[in-house]
Amino acid sequence: MHTHSRIGLLARTPGCTAGTIFAYGQTSSGKTYTMKGSENSDGIISMAIMQIFQTVIAVRSLTCSSNRDFLLRVSYLEIYNEVIKDLLNPENSVNLKIQENPQSREMFIKGLTELSVGSLDEIDQCLRIGEANRHVGETNINEFSSRSHTIFRIVSSGASLEDVPSAAVKVSTLNLVDLAGSERVGHTGAEGVRLKEGGHINKSLLALGNVIKKLTEEGSAASHVPYRDSKLTRILQSSLGGNARTSIICTVTPAAAYIDETHSTLKFAGKAKQVKNKPEVNEVR
Ligand SMILES: Nc1ncnc2c1ncn2[C@@H]1O[C@H](COP(=O)(O)OP(=O)(O)OP(=O)(O)O)[C@@H](O)[C@H]1O
Ligand SMILES: [Mg+2]
């Protein structure tokens, strides 16, 4: 794993494996800012999308659009209080279940809305719809604190139409993840709903930390890795020590009051760097 971004991964080689980028850190340390950006500076999500479209356009112009084409599909989910919600269609959120694709070993959510997108505008619209449906709430530390983990997934399928029907379709997935941040009740002043949300957030982040720790232990390949302890680790299973290239961005705040949290984030980053993934090309025949 790498603590720097590898946004070009999916875009450069549409036949390559899955990629995941996520930001990790305590509440109000800048995860959403990094992933989503602000009015004045683009975040990882829009930069990645831009690069994917630029690459698709470049490949089309090089190979002539008549003999090669791409299909881009997007989905957007959140994990709120350990329940998976469809951010592109909140009506559709009853009991969505995680399943494993037997070919790619990647996890997917049965019944989750997947939309085909053909332009930057269409993808932007999906992001905006999803963000409007996401759970965000105010705490003492962050006015717009993310109360859920979100995964914006872009799936690109590329086929050489010349060879159809025998050609393999190469499928690449990019997961852009905005985690909710760990938080201490003493700092956030959370009570009621916020307290319940904070409990679920901390629990799933603990599960993430435990998975990372296990993956760095000697002989972990053979031993049990507790992916099933949270929806977050289950969905990101192939990105954590599996068939994917994963970049983790760790965010910290320089405020002295949060020295313990900063220390713990840096410890997580140190462990995460030791995890070795095994990326492979995904081909569907
Ligand atoms: N690098 C930065 N430059 C300027 N402003 C920033 C930067 N990073 C974060 N901020 C600001 O700090 C505040 C908190 O950031 P943000 O909401 O991204 O935190 P977070 O880690 O996502 O927190 P949470 O876990 O509560 O969701 C926001 O107002 C954001 O605009
Ligand atoms: Mg956030």
Side-chain angles (χ1 to χ4, degrees):
M1 284 195 199
H2 307 268
T3 45
H4 59 273
S5 137
R6 290 204 168 187
I7 306 162
L9 169 76
L10 180 91
R12 274 201 304 273
T13 46
C16 79
T17 179
T20 294
I21 304 173
F22 66 87
Y24 177 97
Q26 75 157 115
T27 183
S28 203
S29 55
K31 297 180 296 299
T32 301
Y33 183 90
T34 303
M35 296 306 295
K36 198 176 122 187
S38 66
E39 261 177 34
N40 303 322
S41 70
D42 282 341
I44 299 277
I45 295 179
S46 41
M47 288 195 279
I49 291 167
M50 206 97 79
Q51 199 172 352
I52 289 168
F53 270 98
Q54 279 166 0
T55 306
V56 169
I57 290 164
V59 172
R60 276 181 183 157
S61 71
L62 271 178
T63 58
C64 302
S65 57
S66 59
N67 69 351
R68 186 163 181 91
D69 214 347
F70 291 94
L71 181 66
L72 292 178
R73 286 168 292 143
V74 299
S75 63
Y76 203 177
L77 67 84
E78 73 172 351
I79 308 170
Y80 177 69
N81 288 346
E82 274 307 277
V83 176
I84 298 166
K85 302 205 173 252
D86 187 344
L87 289 176
L88 295 181
N89 181 9
E91 310 286 304
N92 175 33
S93 285
V94 188
N95 212 7
L96 294 172
K97 291 268 189 301
I98 305 169
Q99 294 198 346
E100 186 172 356
N101 179 328
Q103 271 177 322
S104 66
R105 310 297 310 270
E106 208 177 334
M107 298 298 160
F108 68 97
I109 313 301
K110 192 154 189 274
L112 186 71
T113 304
E114 262 199 342
L115 299 176
S116 288
V117 284
S119 67
L120 277 173
D121 277 351
E122 280 176 14
I123 220 166
D124 262 357
Q125 205 181 345
C126 292
L127 277 168
R128 265 186 271 121
I129 293 170
E131 272 153 29
N133 290 324
R134 180 185 192 178
H135 283 86
V136 174
E138 184 175 356
T139 69
N140 284 353
I141 301 188
N142 190 355
E143 190 185 351
F144 299 103
S145 181
S146 313
R147 310 312 292 162
S148 62
H149 309 299
T150 56
I151 303 179
F152 185 68
R153 180 173 283 188
I154 307 170
V155 180
S156 120
S157 325
S160 168
L161 298 183
E162 265 181 354
D163 300 334
V164 166
S166 60
V169 174
K170 290 179 179 165
V171 182
S172 301
T173 308
L174 182 63
N175 295 307
L176 298 159
V177 184
D178 181 21
L179 295 181
S182 57
E183 55 190 49
R184 285 196 186 172
V185 181
H187 286 149
T188 57
E191 27 181 69
V193 175
R194 294 279 166 275
L195 185 63
K196 184 179 171 207
E197 292 166 348
H200 282 290
I201 293 168
N202 286 346
K203 208 169 145 207
S204 56
L205 292 173
L206 183 69
L208 176 63
N210 286 340
V211 164
I212 297 279
K213 196 161 148 251
K214 192 77 193 177
L215 287 169
T216 59
E217 284 171 6
E218 285 290 315
S220 66
S223 69
H224 172 71
V225 180
Y227 291 112
R228 287 175 184 272
D229 281 3
S230 75
K231 297 250 163 64
L232 178 68
T233 46
R234 185 79 177 124
I235 297 176
L236 293 182
Q237 182 164 335
S238 65
S239 308
L240 303 166
N243 175 20
R245 294 202 182 181
T246 302
S247 293
I248 303 176
I249 299 154
C250 285
T251 55
V252 294
T253 151
Y258 303 121
I259 187 87
D260 288 346
E261 285 84 349
T262 298
H263 188 223
S264 137
T265 301
L266 293 176
K267 256 176 41 191
F268 175 89
K271 281 274 174 214
K273 278 178 91 162
Q274 295 170 31
V275 176
K276 299 239 178 342
N277 280 10
K278 304 169 263 316
E280 290 160 18
V281 172
N282 293 329
E283 284 190 345
V284 181
R285 286 182 184 271

